[in-house]
Amino acid sequence: MGVVNVTPDSFSDGGQWYGAEAAIGHGLELVDQGADIVDVGGESTRPGAQRIEAEEELRRVGPVVTELVKAGVPVSIDTMRARVASFALDAGARLVNDVSGGLADPDMPRLVAAAGASYVVMHWRGHSHDMYARATYADVVGEVREELTRRVDAAVAAGVDPGRIVIDPGLGFGKRPEHNWPLLARLPEVATLGGRTFPVLVAASRKGFLGGLLAGPDGTPRPIGGREEATVAITALAAAGGAWCVRVHQVPASSDAVRVAAAWRAAAARP
């Protein structure tokens, strides 16, 4: 899954693709580089980000989703708003990537159900402006699984086909670095909710916990531009660990890593 942030303030590439023409071109480039899905978002969820109005979010993503779909690109819409998701689905988007797991807009699960679309349900404890205030866990894997189970159950109760649900452990969202690593290391466990195994989306690309891991001798986190190799390592490990998809900003190296992981898993499965 390649990322197209149509925003001026996303943490990794804010402003680089802000504008329909640039964003559409970037989405097409990601597909050429090997992306299977292009995830289009118009609202930053970086730590501390403030929300924008729905009209502004639609203004940003509307033409991008429309033109990418016309070009035959499999598009997912990264939004917490049912209104924005509705526009994107009507335009031909195939998947709704809701970082709130349906908590930010209670109409979202019903909309997804009515559209028969696929739905990424992410673990989330609150909006970006104060999400770290909720980053307290005694057992992060157990608590994330429990809270994801409630969100999945709510989506299914609203009519969403469980076979179309993808879960996301929400790396970095209401989680400090020490919380992210157990979730990554125990993906098969995270994927199993209520006796059913769900596809898992891993979105670690360039995130702050990688910058902290790679900090310099003085403790300064590695800048965003220097986290790409670590992102590729996460891609390989997550894919080998059974992830359904990885969400990344730069596709070529991660695409290669997925192929390597697939070969590794195939060899491991042979007697």
Side-chain angles (χ1 to χ4, degrees), residues 15-257:
Q16 193 169 2
W17 317 115
Y18 184 49
E21 185 176 351
I24 293 163
H26 185 51
L28 295 172
E29 180 184 31
L30 291 172
V31 172
D32 287 343
Q33 292 172 345
D36 298 298
I37 306 167
V38 172
D39 193 43
V40 178
E43 181 177 34
S44 175
T45 52
R46 64 178 173 78
Q50 300 297 314
R51 300 215 69 188
I52 60 172
E53 296 297 324
E55 290 75 13
E56 173 62 13
E57 188 179 354
L58 277 167
R59 185 192 69 78
R60 294 177 183 182
V61 302
V64 181
V65 171
T66 300
E67 292 305 314
L68 288 177
V69 169
K70 284 182 181 178
V73 174
V75 171
S76 64
I77 181 67
D78 177 2
T79 184
M80 292 183 277
R81 289 188 170 101
R83 180 180 169 190
V84 176
S86 179
F87 174 93
L89 292 171
D90 286 345
R94 303 182 186 182
L95 182 151
V96 175
N97 183 12
D98 179 2
V99 300
S100 81
L103 287 169
D105 187 338
D107 290 333
M108 185 73 88
R110 290 191 293 272
L111 168 75
V112 173
S118 296
Y119 190 29
V120 176
V121 176
M122 196 190 83
H123 178 265
W124 186 82
R125 284 186 168 180
H127 288 287
S128 298
H129 65 89
D130 67 347
M131 63 182 174
Y132 288 126
R134 300 174 174 86
T136 302
Y137 302 88
D139 171 10
V140 66
V141 173
E143 290 171 52
V144 166
R145 290 180 67 229
E146 180 182 343
E147 291 167 35
L148 275 173
T149 298
R150 290 201 293 269
R151 300 316 312 149
V152 167
D153 288 348
V156 172
V160 178
D161 179 353
R164 289 188 170 273
I165 291 176
V166 176
I167 63 167
D168 179 343
L171 303 174
F173 284 84
K175 298 172 190 72
R176 301 196 182 277
E178 64 269 22
H179 301 135
N180 297 319
W181 294 110
L183 292 167
L184 283 166
R186 295 162 63 183
L187 282 182
E189 194 175 336
V190 173
T192 304
L193 306 175
R196 183 184 183 110
T197 299
F198 291 89
V200 177
L201 173 66
V202 170
S205 182
R206 300 177 176 175
K207 286 189 172 178
F209 75 102
L210 297 177
L213 176 72
L214 304 173
D218 64 352
T220 302
R222 177 79 63 85
I224 288 167
R227 301 174 190 173
E228 202 57 43
E229 290 82 359
T231 296
V232 175
I234 293 285
T235 291
L237 291 166
W244 167 76
C245 188
V246 289
R247 182 181 184 274
V248 297
H249 296 86
Q250 289 190 8
V251 166
S254 279
S255 179
D256 290 349

